Amino acid sequence: MCFREYVTPAVIIVSNKKEKEKKDAAVVKISTNVKEWAEENEVHLRTTHVTLLSEEDKHLVTGNPSEIRGGLLSYIDDSNNKNSTAKIFDCHHHHCSSGSTHCNQLDKRLIVVYANVSPIGQFMLRELIEQSQYSRSHRLRVSKSRLCFIINPVDNTQLSPQLLSRAHCIL
């Protein structure tokens, strides 16, 4: 549903009620399943991991104040923007399912963001995980097409009502 843009972005939460080993195993299983699906469907999979625990991690989402584009917003924009100057991606930045060394087909990309979050991290991601085609509250308008968030709350983190209301799946 995410790849076909019926859901933009997709939000999957790995429940914090599980033991750490079970949570870690669930994230690995999700990652494995997504990679296998991408290979079967010849989709270029771009993944990134962020850990958002405190205000000091805000630059990982929006970039530094001196940057027009930075952080996760820049990563998503480079992946989704048809006018981006970063149209060709080396395979070490994404899973290249078709065996080629580059991906230049925007409609054959899927972006997966694995995020370990605290309550503050949930707050930082709130606008990016809203159901809308674009992120509009930042310095840059970013398309959220073919974007999926796998959110892993850190130990004993209470899930915010905002995060729960945006989740498509809670494991």
Side-chain angles (χ1 to χ4, degrees):
M1 289 182 69
C2 175
F3 183 70
R4 299 280 182 234
E5 299 183 56
Y6 298 127
V7 176
T8 305
V11 179
I12 300 170
I13 301 173
V14 180
S15 175
N16 61 345
K17 294 184 175 159
K18 295 181 179 181
E19 299 164 6
K20 181 169 176 18
E21 296 79 27
K22 288 183 180 180
K23 282 177 65 173
D24 293 344
V27 171
V28 168
K29 186 168 178 88
I30 292 168
S31 177
T32 301
N33 289 341
V34 169
K35 285 179 183 176
E36 288 173 358
W37 177 87
E39 286 177 6
E40 290 170 8
N41 293 282
E42 296 183 356
V43 170
H44 293 268
L45 179 64
R46 294 201 74 212
T47 61
T48 191
H49 299 262
V50 293
T51 299
L52 306 170
L53 303 177
S54 68
E55 275 295 320
E56 287 79 39
D57 299 324
K58 186 176 181 179
H59 71 281
L60 297 173
V61 176
T62 59
N64 294 317
S66 62
E67 296 176 303
I68 292 175
R69 4 178 359 248
L72 197 51
L73 292 168
S74 177
Y75 183 84
I76 295 167
D77 193 44
D78 285 346
S79 301
N80 259 340
N81 188 342
K82 63 183 177 184
N83 299 314
S84 173
T85 57
K87 289 183 180 176
I88 298 176
F89 302 102
D90 295 327
C91 278
H92 69 276
H93 291 294
H94 74 286
H95 180 71
C96 197
S97 57
S98 65
S100 67
T101 57
H102 298 94
C103 171
N104 228 358
Q105 296 174 310
L106 187 63
D107 63 336
K108 295 292 275 181
R109 295 183 197 159
L110 178 66
I111 304 106
V112 178
V113 177
Y114 295 91
N116 298 318
V117 297
S118 68
I120 293 171
Q122 293 176 53
F123 184 77
M124 284 188 260
L125 287 177
R126 74 193 179 285
E127 196 277 332
L128 280 175
I129 62 174
E130 283 180 359
Q131 295 302 299
S132 63
Q133 184 67 30
Y134 296 98
S135 168
R136 292 186 174 96
S137 68
H138 300 289
R139 298 168 280 205
L140 178 68
R141 181 176 151 168
V142 174
S143 171
K144 296 190 272 185
S145 299
R146 297 169 310 281
L147 175 62
C148 179
F149 285 92
I150 311 295
I151 298 179
N152 185 9
V154 293
D155 298 329
N156 300 319
T157 295
Q158 181 79 21
L159 297 175
S160 70
Q162 293 84 0
L163 180 61
L164 289 171
S165 71
R166 290 164 174 84
H168 297 99
C169 180
I170 301 174
L171 305 174

